[in-house]
Amino acid sequence: MRFSVVQILEDDLIAPIIKKVAYGLATTCILGGAVYAGYRVAAPAQQQTRHYRQPELNDQIETVLDSLKIADDQLVHIMHLLEAEMNAGLSPSTHDQAVVKMFPTYVKNIPTGTEVGQVLALDLGGTNFRVLLIDLRGNSRIELTSKIFLIPQSIMMGDGKQLFRHLSECLHEFMLKEHILNTDVCYPIGFTFSFPCSQEGLASARLTSWTKGFSCSGVVNEDVVKLFQNAINEKGINAKCVALINDTVGTLMACAYKDPATAVGLILGTGTNACYIEQLDKVGTWKGDYDEPKQVIINMEWGAFGDNHRLDFIRTRYDEEVDLSSTNPGRQIFEKMISGLYMGEIVRLIILDLLQRELLFLGHRDTYGDYKTPLYNRGGFYTKFVSTVETDEGIKFSNTRRVLEDIGIQNPTFDDCAIVQHICRQVSKRAAKLAAAGLSVLINRIGRPNVTVGVDGSLYRYHPRFKTNMERCMDMLVNKSIQFKIALSDDGSGKGAALVACLAEGTSWKKPAAHHEETVN
């Protein structure tokens, strides 16, 4: 009986201890399970973050950007397509249907550096209109004064006569300021008109289509020089337009003034185009003389390459959206994959796509819902932002952060910046490759041992990697027997136009003027 009581007492003492131990074990198991579950949930996110710090390692992001990549064999195929389109444009039997028009410019002579004269040059190729007074002093020396006038949107999309009246008013204002208005000298004008034209003579050209945001009525199929000269005469200005060229021809001419090996001109700016020196026996559409030199500069208008769907195999959904929302849907397809007017918009559309896929700006979706910010508006990501973002080196991303804040993204993370920079690099690299393929066709076709390419335009000038990316691709595509050089042209649209005007007149227009000593580099 005593034993039983002791046993009961012992059982009563042990029971609470057992309960405490049980509760402790249970609590430990629950906490441990929670910690383990948290770790398992967090692990993919941590892994994903590591991938984002190297966006090219993130499969989902790369799936989106893969559509921008162009393989080497595709570049070679693009070169073959472009040369076929060039031949179609040069042949009288296929010229009318050709998308790459290959217009003869009637510019046959290349400057030697000995030209002397004082001429006016005008440059219209976008939202700015430049007027220049250029003093050619021989020995490859040029001095100039200039002024830039803005072209309002209402003028760009209004009546054609209103456009040329506006240009003549700008010219009048400039000549008045420079004290050359109403003198006994009729100043020759070289007019850089950077839109597709069918040239009928050096001072006669019909506009075939507007580009770069212009859509003035009553100008297409009309003689641009005649329309402009009429406006000049109405204003009583002592000047005559003796040559109309585009910016690519001006770029070639200005570069050739210092480097006689120059045979190609290229513009990479708001738009893109190229010209090159072609032998007359290959120009079936030539209607001029066959005197020496038996060559002529061809204005390719290569921005229209692909308008016949030949480039659809490399176009992306972003290219298609940019095209549909443009002022000229279905036209200038090549230009829309390269030039500054569209590159920023392609980047913006990709950013929005990744945002919608929850691959960018993670955890901040509620913050970025303000549709008034530039990110959500067409044209809100400028092409200059692409250049700015790509100048960032290292891990600070100070430029990229500033750009993202400008378009409405506050406090972007390291990963956000890395992804946006990766997008910009892929878009600009594709543009450089396409430009390289086009240039390689021209250099191989010219076939000289040494060829210099004169280049101008804001995209080429200010993008930190475009030149390098383009040359690296050209090293692979240009024939090994040819040495090529790419040179930044010095104000081709101004100086080049003046050189053409001077050569066109074939006489000295030198007029002593001590007050024109400003040199613009």
PDB file of all heavy atoms in Angstrom, residues 258-284:
ATOM      1  N   LYS A 258      39.025  67.148 -96.831  1.00  0.00           N
ATOM      2  CA  LYS A 258      40.255  66.896 -96.072  1.00  0.00           C
ATOM      3  C   LYS A 258      40.858  65.521 -96.350  1.00  0.00           C
ATOM      4  O   LYS A 258      42.040  65.306 -96.126  1.00  0.00           O
ATOM      5  CB  LYS A 258      39.967  67.024 -94.574  1.00  0.00           C
ATOM      6  CG  LYS A 258      39.594  68.430 -94.146  1.00  0.00           C
ATOM      7  CD  LYS A 258      39.386  68.519 -92.637  1.00  0.00           C
ATOM      8  CE  LYS A 258      39.085  69.957 -92.222  1.00  0.00           C
ATOM      9  NZ  LYS A 258      38.894  70.077 -90.749  1.00  0.00           N
ATOM     10  N   ASP A 259      40.040  64.577 -96.821  1.00  0.00           N
ATOM     11  CA  ASP A 259      40.527  63.217 -97.066  1.00  0.00           C
ATOM     12  C   ASP A 259      40.038  62.750 -98.435  1.00  0.00           C
ATOM     13  O   ASP A 259      38.865  62.383 -98.593  1.00  0.00           O
ATOM     14  CB  ASP A 259      40.025  62.276 -95.971  1.00  0.00           C
ATOM     15  CG  ASP A 259      40.567  60.861 -96.105  1.00  0.00           C
ATOM     16  OD1 ASP A 259      41.165  60.543 -97.151  1.00  0.00           O
ATOM     17  OD2 ASP A 259      40.404  60.060 -95.164  1.00  0.00           O
ATOM     18  N   PRO A 260      40.903  62.738 -99.447  1.00  0.00           N
ATOM     19  CA  PRO A 260      40.485  62.384-100.811  1.00  0.00           C
ATOM     20  C   PRO A 260      40.049  60.936-100.980  1.00  0.00           C
ATOM     21  O   PRO A 260      39.467  60.585-102.018  1.00  0.00           O
ATOM     22  CB  PRO A 260      41.743  62.665-101.646  1.00  0.00           C
ATOM     23  CG  PRO A 260      42.874  62.604-100.671  1.00  0.00           C
ATOM     24  CD  PRO A 260      42.329  63.105 -99.375  1.00  0.00           C
ATOM     25  N   ALA A 261      40.293  60.081 -99.986  1.00  0.00           N
ATOM     26  CA  ALA A 261      39.865  58.683-100.086  1.00  0.00           C
ATOM     27  C   ALA A 261      38.397  58.508 -99.718  1.00  0.00           C
ATOM     28  O   ALA A 261      37.853  57.399 -99.809  1.00  0.00           O
ATOM     29  CB  ALA A 261      40.727  57.799 -99.177  1.00  0.00           C
ATOM     30  N   THR A 262      37.732  59.600 -99.320  1.00  0.00           N
ATOM     31  CA  THR A 262      36.324  59.510 -98.920  1.00  0.00           C
ATOM     32  C   THR A 262      35.454  59.145-100.112  1.00  0.00           C
ATOM     33  O   THR A 262      35.491  59.811-101.154  1.00  0.00           O
ATOM     34  CB  THR A 262      35.846  60.841 -98.317  1.00  0.00           C
ATOM     35  OG1 THR A 262      36.705  61.208 -97.241  1.00  0.00           O
ATOM     36  CG2 THR A 262      34.420  60.711 -97.806  1.00  0.00           C
ATOM     37  N   ALA A 263      34.676  58.079 -99.974  1.00  0.00           N
ATOM     38  CA  ALA A 263      33.803  57.630-101.068  1.00  0.00           C
ATOM     39  C   ALA A 263      32.399  57.294-100.583  1.00  0.00           C
ATOM     40  O   ALA A 263      31.530  56.953-101.381  1.00  0.00           O
ATOM     41  CB  ALA A 263      34.405  56.407-101.755  1.00  0.00           C
ATOM     42  N   VAL A 264      32.165  57.398 -99.274  1.00  0.00           N
ATOM     43  CA  VAL A 264      30.861  57.080 -98.691  1.00  0.00           C
ATOM     44  C   VAL A 264      30.499  58.162 -97.687  1.00  0.00           C
ATOM     45  O   VAL A 264      31.359  58.646 -96.934  1.00  0.00           O
ATOM     46  CB  VAL A 264      30.869  55.709 -97.981  1.00  0.00           C
ATOM     47  CG1 VAL A 264      29.495  55.402 -97.365  1.00  0.00           C
ATOM     48  CG2 VAL A 264      31.279  54.603 -98.935  1.00  0.00           C
ATOM     49  N   GLY A 265      29.232  58.550 -97.684  1.00  0.00           N
ATOM     50  CA  GLY A 265      28.709  59.455 -96.672  1.00  0.00           C
ATOM     51  C   GLY A 265      27.594  58.756 -95.915  1.00  0.00           C
ATOM     52  O   GLY A 265      26.769  58.065 -96.525  1.00  0.00           O
ATOM     53  N   LEU A 266      27.565  58.916 -94.603  1.00  0.00           N
ATOM     54  CA  LEU A 266      26.559  58.240 -93.772  1.00  0.00           C
ATOM     55  C   LEU A 266      26.019  59.204 -92.730  1.00  0.00           C
ATOM     56  O   LEU A 266      26.780  59.935 -92.101  1.00  0.00           O
ATOM     57  CB  LEU A 266      27.186  57.030 -93.074  1.00  0.00           C
ATOM     58  CG  LEU A 266      26.322  56.305 -92.023  1.00  0.00           C
ATOM     59  CD1 LEU A 266      25.121  55.635 -92.683  1.00  0.00           C
ATOM     60  CD2 LEU A 266      27.158  55.285 -91.253  1.00  0.00           C
ATOM     61  N   ILE A 267      24.716  59.187 -92.564  1.00  0.00           N
ATOM     62  CA  ILE A 267      24.067  59.952 -91.505  1.00  0.00           C
ATOM     63  C   ILE A 267      23.448  58.983 -90.508  1.00  0.00           C
ATOM     64  O   ILE A 267      22.711  58.068 -90.886  1.00  0.00           O
ATOM     65  CB  ILE A 267      22.973  60.875 -92.070  1.00  0.00           C
ATOM     66  CG1 ILE A 267      23.595  61.977 -92.917  1.00  0.00           C
ATOM     67  CG2 ILE A 267      22.138  61.484 -90.947  1.00  0.00           C
ATOM     68  CD1 ILE A 267      24.453  62.955 -92.138  1.00  0.00           C
ATOM     69  N   LEU A 268      23.783  59.198 -89.251  1.00  0.00           N
ATOM     70  CA  LEU A 268      23.186  58.441 -88.154  1.00  0.00           C
ATOM     71  C   LEU A 268      22.732  59.448 -87.101  1.00  0.00           C
ATOM     72  O   LEU A 268      23.471  59.791 -86.177  1.00  0.00           O
ATOM     73  CB  LEU A 268      24.199  57.459 -87.550  1.00  0.00           C
ATOM     74  CG  LEU A 268      24.559  56.244 -88.397  1.00  0.00           C
ATOM     75  CD1 LEU A 268      25.795  55.550 -87.837  1.00  0.00           C
ATOM     76  CD2 LEU A 268      23.389  55.261 -88.454  1.00  0.00           C
ATOM     77  N   GLY A 269      21.537  59.951 -87.277  1.00  0.00           N
ATOM     78  CA  GLY A 269      21.015  60.953 -86.370  1.00  0.00           C
ATOM     79  C   GLY A 269      19.530  60.747 -86.161  1.00  0.00           C
ATOM     80  O   GLY A 269      19.084  59.644 -85.846  1.00  0.00           O
ATOM     81  N   THR A 270      18.751  61.814 -86.339  1.00  0.00           N
ATOM     82  CA  THR A 270      17.298  61.690 -86.267  1.00  0.00           C
ATOM     83  C   THR A 270      16.804  60.638 -87.248  1.00  0.00           C
ATOM     84  O   THR A 270      15.927  59.834 -86.947  1.00  0.00           O
ATOM     85  CB  THR A 270      16.631  63.043 -86.576  1.00  0.00           C
ATOM     86  OG1 THR A 270      17.141  64.030 -85.667  1.00  0.00           O
ATOM     87  CG2 THR A 270      15.128  62.950 -86.422  1.00  0.00           C
ATOM     88  N   GLY A 271      17.386  60.663 -88.429  1.00  0.00           N
ATOM     89  CA  GLY A 271      17.130  59.629 -89.436  1.00  0.00           C
ATOM     90  C   GLY A 271      18.435  58.970 -89.822  1.00  0.00           C
ATOM     91  O   GLY A 271      19.481  59.219 -89.218  1.00  0.00           O
ATOM     92  N   THR A 272      18.398  58.128 -90.836  1.00  0.00           N
ATOM     93  CA  THR A 272      19.629  57.526 -91.349  1.00  0.00           C
ATOM     94  C   THR A 272      19.539  57.407 -92.864  1.00  0.00           C
ATOM     95  O   THR A 272      18.459  57.159 -93.420  1.00  0.00           O
ATOM     96  CB  THR A 272      19.913  56.144 -90.738  1.00  0.00           C
ATOM     97  OG1 THR A 272      21.163  55.661 -91.229  1.00  0.00           O
ATOM     98  CG2 THR A 272      18.818  55.132 -91.081  1.00  0.00           C
ATOM     99  N   ASN A 273      20.683  57.630 -93.513  1.00  0.00           N
ATOM    100  CA  ASN A 273      20.763  57.492 -94.962  1.00  0.00           C
ATOM    101  C   ASN A 273      22.231  57.361 -95.330  1.00  0.00           C
ATOM    102  O   ASN A 273      23.119  57.639 -94.516  1.00  0.00           O
ATOM    103  CB  ASN A 273      20.145  58.705 -95.660  1.00  0.00           C
ATOM    104  CG  ASN A 273      19.974  58.493 -97.151  1.00  0.00           C
ATOM    105  OD1 ASN A 273      19.985  57.358 -97.633  1.00  0.00           O
ATOM    106  ND2 ASN A 273      19.832  59.569 -97.903  1.00  0.00           N
ATOM    107  N   ALA A 274      22.487  56.935 -96.550  1.00  0.00           N
ATOM    108  CA  ALA A 274      23.866  56.794 -97.022  1.00  0.00           C
ATOM    109  C   ALA A 274      23.946  57.189 -98.488  1.00  0.00           C
ATOM    110  O   ALA A 274      22.959  57.114 -99.231  1.00  0.00           O
ATOM    111  CB  ALA A 274      24.355  55.357 -96.838  1.00  0.00           C
ATOM    112  N   CYS A 275      25.129  57.629 -98.882  1.00  0.00           N
ATOM    113  CA  CYS A 275      25.421  57.888-100.285  1.00  0.00           C
ATOM    114  C   CYS A 275      26.825  57.380-100.578  1.00  0.00           C
ATOM    115  O   CYS A 275      27.616  57.156 -99.649  1.00  0.00           O
ATOM    116  CB  CYS A 275      25.296  59.378-100.610  1.00  0.00           C
ATOM    117  SG  CYS A 275      26.601  60.396 -99.878  1.00  0.00           S
ATOM    118  N   TYR A 276      27.134  57.181-101.837  1.00  0.00           N
ATOM    119  CA  TYR A 276      28.466  56.693-102.199  1.00  0.00           C
ATOM    120  C   TYR A 276      28.754  57.064-103.647  1.00  0.00           C
ATOM    121  O   TYR A 276      27.845  57.436-104.410  1.00  0.00           O
ATOM    122  CB  TYR A 276      28.559  55.177-102.010  1.00  0.00           C
ATOM    123  CG  TYR A 276      27.780  54.375-103.037  1.00  0.00           C
ATOM    124  CD1 TYR A 276      28.430  53.716-104.076  1.00  0.00           C
ATOM    125  CD2 TYR A 276      26.386  54.302-102.985  1.00  0.00           C
ATOM    126  CE1 TYR A 276      27.712  52.997-105.028  1.00  0.00           C
ATOM    127  CE2 TYR A 276      25.670  53.593-103.925  1.00  0.00           C
ATOM    128  CZ  TYR A 276      26.337  52.941-104.946  1.00  0.00           C
ATOM    129  OH  TYR A 276      25.623  52.245-105.895  1.00  0.00           O
ATOM    130  N   ILE A 277      30.026  56.972-104.032  1.00  0.00           N
ATOM    131  CA  ILE A 277      30.426  57.279-105.402  1.00  0.00           C
ATOM    132  C   ILE A 277      30.280  56.017-106.255  1.00  0.00           C
ATOM    133  O   ILE A 277      30.885  54.990-105.977  1.00  0.00           O
ATOM    134  CB  ILE A 277      31.879  57.785-105.442  1.00  0.00           C
ATOM    135  CG1 ILE A 277      32.022  59.064-104.619  1.00  0.00           C
ATOM    136  CG2 ILE A 277      32.315  58.025-106.887  1.00  0.00           C
ATOM    137  CD1 ILE A 277      33.452  59.542-104.481  1.00  0.00           C
ATOM    138  N   GLU A 278      29.469  56.131-107.318  1.00  0.00           N
ATOM    139  CA  GLU A 278      29.205  55.005-108.213  1.00  0.00           C
ATOM    140  C   GLU A 278      29.708  55.332-109.614  1.00  0.00           C
ATOM    141  O   GLU A 278      29.691  56.495-110.051  1.00  0.00           O
ATOM    142  CB  GLU A 278      27.698  54.706-108.249  1.00  0.00           C
ATOM    143  CG  GLU A 278      27.294  53.528-109.110  1.00  0.00           C
ATOM    144  CD  GLU A 278      27.854  52.202-108.616  1.00  0.00           C
ATOM    145  OE1 GLU A 278      29.020  51.913-108.962  1.00  0.00           O
ATOM    146  OE2 GLU A 278      27.134  51.478-107.912  1.00  0.00           O
ATOM    147  N   GLN A 279      30.165  54.320-110.315  1.00  0.00           N
ATOM    148  CA  GLN A 279      30.599  54.494-111.702  1.00  0.00           C
ATOM    149  C   GLN A 279      29.374  54.657-112.606  1.00  0.00           C
ATOM    150  O   GLN A 279      28.368  53.962-112.446  1.00  0.00           O
ATOM    151  CB  GLN A 279      31.427  53.287-112.153  1.00  0.00           C
ATOM    152  CG  GLN A 279      32.700  53.091-111.344  1.00  0.00           C
ATOM    153  CD  GLN A 279      33.585  54.328-111.345  1.00  0.00           C
ATOM    154  OE1 GLN A 279      33.934  54.856-112.404  1.00  0.00           O
ATOM    155  NE2 GLN A 279      33.946  54.802-110.153  1.00  0.00           N
ATOM    156  N   LEU A 280      29.470  55.572-113.575  1.00  0.00           N
ATOM    157  CA  LEU A 280      28.312  55.888-114.408  1.00  0.00           C
ATOM    158  C   LEU A 280      27.799  54.691-115.198  1.00  0.00           C
ATOM    159  O   LEU A 280      26.599  54.594-115.483  1.00  0.00           O
ATOM    160  CB  LEU A 280      28.655  57.030-115.372  1.00  0.00           C
ATOM    161  CG  LEU A 280      28.751  58.434-114.757  1.00  0.00           C
ATOM    162  CD1 LEU A 280      29.109  59.452-115.839  1.00  0.00           C
ATOM    163  CD2 LEU A 280      27.443  58.825-114.076  1.00  0.00           C
ATOM    164  N   ASP A 281      28.687  53.765-115.582  1.00  0.00           N
ATOM    165  CA  ASP A 281      28.225  52.627-116.380  1.00  0.00           C
ATOM    166  C   ASP A 281      27.337  51.676-115.585  1.00  0.00           C
ATOM    167  O   ASP A 281      26.721  50.767-116.153  1.00  0.00           O
ATOM    168  CB  ASP A 281      29.400  51.868-116.982  1.00  0.00           C
ATOM    169  CG  ASP A 281      30.373  51.340-115.922  1.00  0.00           C
ATOM    170  OD1 ASP A 281      30.100  51.517-114.713  1.00  0.00           O
ATOM    171  OD2 ASP A 281      31.412  50.756-116.307  1.00  0.00           O
ATOM    172  N   LYS A 282      27.254  51.878-114.269  1.00  0.00           N
ATOM    173  CA  LYS A 282      26.367  51.058-113.438  1.00  0.00           C
ATOM    174  C   LYS A 282      25.056  51.775-113.100  1.00  0.00           C
ATOM    175  O   LYS A 282      24.201  51.204-112.428  1.00  0.00           O
ATOM    176  CB  LYS A 282      27.072  50.668-112.136  1.00  0.00           C
ATOM    177  CG  LYS A 282      28.277  49.750-112.326  1.00  0.00           C
ATOM    178  CD  LYS A 282      28.879  49.380-110.974  1.00  0.00           C
ATOM    179  CE  LYS A 282      30.083  48.469-111.152  1.00  0.00           C
ATOM    180  NZ  LYS A 282      30.703  48.115-109.841  1.00  0.00           N
ATOM    181  N   VAL A 283      24.931  53.027-113.572  1.00  0.00           N
ATOM    182  CA  VAL A 283      23.750  53.827-113.233  1.00  0.00           C
ATOM    183  C   VAL A 283      22.841  53.900-114.455  1.00  0.00           C
ATOM    184  O   VAL A 283      22.979  54.785-115.315  1.00  0.00           O
ATOM    185  CB  VAL A 283      24.154  55.243-112.765  1.00  0.00           C
ATOM    186  CG1 VAL A 283      22.916  56.006-112.273  1.00  0.00           C
ATOM    187  CG2 VAL A 283      25.203  55.170-111.663  1.00  0.00           C
ATOM    188  N   GLY A 284      21.916  52.958-114.544  1.00  0.00           N
ATOM    189  CA  GLY A 284      21.019  52.903-115.700  1.00  0.00           C
ATOM    190  C   GLY A 284      20.051  54.064-115.760  1.00  0.00           C
ATOM    191  O   GLY A 284      19.493  54.361-116.826  1.00  0.00           O
TER     192      GLY A 284
END
